């Protein structure tokens, strides 16, 4: 009962530190990523159930099985534009901020980056495509292993994982001595790129881009791979497993995430008018038909 009361009073999410203003786009910053439990709010309850299911099932063995399945890149072939169009059919079940198709968020993110960084066209493209890995949801993957915040598996659960003080109770790795210690299956300061991260759209899209020879800078690949890794880049978890060089990765991810998080609104951009510009970027950096 005490834990329940604590949750209903609200959860302070460390990602709020990425945006210091008290109001952003007429919405109080404290209202973004609000994971307060409310059984009478269908969106909040949907979000909670998504995370609890994720945290129950996301074991080292499960992540390895998904990597074995998806990293053969033999599921379908499609251009990046075709994959983006699929996002028009997806509403992210883990998102407490917006209940609109994911492609709307993609263009909102890209256009705000374009406004602030007009000369970095690769950055605009990263904003547009950053969630396209969620296309797995159209190929028999439940959303709980596609969307949402990511975290390291194979070691003690991070302190800043959403709902993490309660949601891992039924995960068998919680009780596995190979994985439930501070370092778990890792060496100290092994580096973020050597961690096994919970399976989801970040890692999948990163691997798709590398496999298909995308020409975006390495900073863009970092942004894709770790933008949902909030317990690390916003919460400060896993510092005992990272190395000094990882600070460059974190800087890139934080630079991106202010646009990912704080551009969400119900204002829908004119997607048809914007497509020609972004088609040009796709042809420049990720041309042709890709293997997914």
């Amino acid at each position: 009962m005490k834990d329940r009361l604590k949750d209903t009073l609200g959860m302070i999410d460390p990602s709020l530190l990425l945006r210091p203003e008290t109001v952003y786009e007429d919405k109080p910053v404290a209202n973004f990523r609000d994971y307060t439990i409310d059984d009478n709010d269908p969106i909040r309850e949907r979000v909670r159930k998504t995370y609890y299911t994720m945290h129950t099932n996301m074991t080292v063995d499960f992540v390895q099985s998904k990597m074995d399945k998806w990293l053969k890149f033999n599921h379908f072939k499609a251009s990046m534009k075709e994959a983006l169009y699929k996002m028009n059919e997806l509403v992210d079940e883990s998102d407490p901020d917006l209940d609109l198709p994911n492609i709307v968020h993609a263009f909102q993110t890209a256009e705000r980056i374009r406004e602030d960084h007009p000369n970095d066209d690769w950055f605009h493209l990263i904003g547009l495509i950053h969630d396209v890995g969620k296309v797995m949801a159209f190929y028999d993957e439940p959303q709980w292993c596609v969307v949402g915040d990511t975290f390291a598996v194979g070691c003690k659960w991070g302190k800043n994982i959403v709902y993490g003080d309660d949601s891992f109770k039924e995960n068998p790795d919680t009780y596995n001595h190979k994985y439930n210690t501070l370092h778990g299956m890792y060496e100290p300061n092994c580096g973020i790129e050597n961690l096994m991260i919970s399976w989801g759209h970040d890692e999948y899209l990163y691997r798709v881009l590398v496999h298909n020879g995308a020409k975006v800078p390495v900073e863009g690949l970092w942004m894709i791979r770790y933008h949902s890794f909030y317990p690390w880049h916003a919460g400060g978890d896993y510092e005992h497993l990272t190395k000094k060089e990882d600070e460059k990765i974190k800087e890139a991810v934080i630079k991106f995430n202010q646009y990912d998080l704080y551009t969400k609104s119900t204002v829908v951009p004119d997607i048809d008018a914007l497509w020609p510009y972004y088609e040009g970027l796709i042809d420049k950096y990720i041309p042709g038909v890709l293997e997914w």
Side-chain angles (χ1 to χ4, degrees), residues 13-18 32-33 35 51 94-95 97 105 130-131 148-152 158-162 192 197-198 201-202 225-239 250 253-254 256-262 264:
D13 191 279
S15 65
L16 299 180
L17 301 176
L18 294 174
F32 286 98
R33 288 177 57 83
Y35 295 101
Y51 274 107
S94 72
D95 193 339
D97 297 322
H105 169 56
H130 71 279
D131 278 342
D149 292 4
T150 57
F151 48 91
K159 294 181 180 179
N160 288 289
I161 300 173
V162 171
I192 188 174
I197 308 299
S198 57
H201 65 284
D202 293 31
R225 193 177 194 183
Y226 300 112
H227 71 271
S228 301
F229 196 14
Y230 279 96
W232 171 63
H233 65 69
D237 293 347
Y238 311 112
E239 293 300 317
K250 182 181 285 188
V253 175
I254 289 176
F256 169 77
N257 266 69
Q258 61 182 302
Y259 299 104
D260 181 20
L261 179 56
Y262 295 103
K264 294 176 182 177

Side-chain angles (χ1 to χ4, degrees), residues 27-282:
K27 180 176 178 178
V29 166
N31 287 354
F32 286 98
R33 288 177 57 83
D34 181 356
Y35 295 101
T36 304
I37 293 177
D38 184 351
D39 295 341
N40 296 315
D41 185 322
I43 291 181
R44 292 189 194 281
E45 188 62 7
R46 179 195 71 191
V47 170
R48 186 186 68 81
K49 287 182 177 180
T50 298
Y51 274 107
Y52 268 68
T53 305
M54 177 198 302
H55 295 169
T56 295
N57 291 281
M58 199 67 68
T59 63
V60 170
D61 288 346
F62 179 85
V63 174
Q64 187 61 61
S65 73
K66 292 304 174 185
M67 294 175 72
D68 291 344
K69 174 182 177 179
W70 284 98
L71 301 187
K72 293 181 176 68
F73 307 105
N74 60 357
H75 290 270
F76 63 101
K77 294 182 179 181
S79 68
M80 184 56 71
K81 182 177 180 179
E82 289 171 331
L84 275 160
Y85 263 121
K86 291 293 290 183
M87 295 299 98
N88 204 39
E89 303 171 31
L90 179 72
V91 174
D92 188 331
E93 294 175 358
S94 72
D95 193 339
D97 297 322
L98 199 61
D99 201 26
L100 289 172
N102 218 249
I103 198 170
V104 175
H105 169 56
F107 276 93
Q108 288 170 335
T109 304
E111 281 296 284
R112 181 54 60 83
I113 293 173
R114 184 180 177 187
E115 180 180 327
D116 288 355
H117 301 273
N119 297 320
D120 296 329
D121 63 353
W122 64 268
F123 195 8
H124 312 164
L125 181 61
I126 293 298
L128 185 73
I129 70 170
H130 71 279
D131 278 342
V132 176
K134 295 176 184 178
V135 73
M136 289 186 290
F138 298 105
Y139 293 86
D140 300 322
E141 290 294 358
Q143 283 208 25
W144 57 261
C145 70
V146 173
V147 303
D149 292 4
T150 57
F151 48 91
V153 298
C155 61
K156 187 176 181 179
W157 308 119
K159 294 181 180 179
N160 288 289
I161 300 173
V162 171
Y163 303 114
D165 59 344
D166 181 67
S167 56
F168 288 99
K169 289 179 179 178
E170 296 185 31
N171 185 310
D173 283 2
T174 301
Y175 312 100
N176 188 327
H177 294 310
K178 291 193 300 182
Y179 305 136
N180 65 6
T181 62
L182 186 64
H183 294 95
M185 65 182 190
Y186 307 108
E187 294 295 325
N189 304 115
C190 61
I192 188 174
E193 293 177 293
N194 288 312
L195 300 183
M196 180 182 286
I197 308 299
S198 57
W199 183 250
H201 65 284
D202 293 31
E203 184 70 17
Y204 177 55
L205 181 59
Y206 163 76
R207 298 292 192 107
V208 167
L209 294 176
V210 172
H211 174 74
N212 287 282
K215 302 172 184 177
V216 298
V218 67
E219 292 87 350
L221 296 177
W222 291 339
M223 292 171 180
I224 293 292
R225 193 177 194 183
Y226 300 112
H227 71 271
S228 301
F229 196 14
Y230 279 96
W232 171 63
H233 65 69
D237 293 347
Y238 311 112
E239 293 300 317
H240 56 293
L241 297 174
T242 58
K243 55 188 179 180
K244 184 178 179 180
E245 293 80 2
D246 292 341
E247 287 303 308
K248 292 182 179 179
I249 300 177
K250 182 181 285 188
E251 288 174 9
V253 175
I254 289 176
K255 179 180 178 180
F256 169 77
N257 266 69
Q258 61 182 302
Y259 299 104
D260 181 20
L261 179 56
Y262 295 103
T263 55
K264 294 176 182 177
S265 74
T266 56
V267 178
V268 179
D270 188 344
I271 293 174
D272 289 339
L274 293 172
W275 260 125
Y277 173 73
Y278 287 99
E279 281 185 285
L281 298 187
I282 291 171

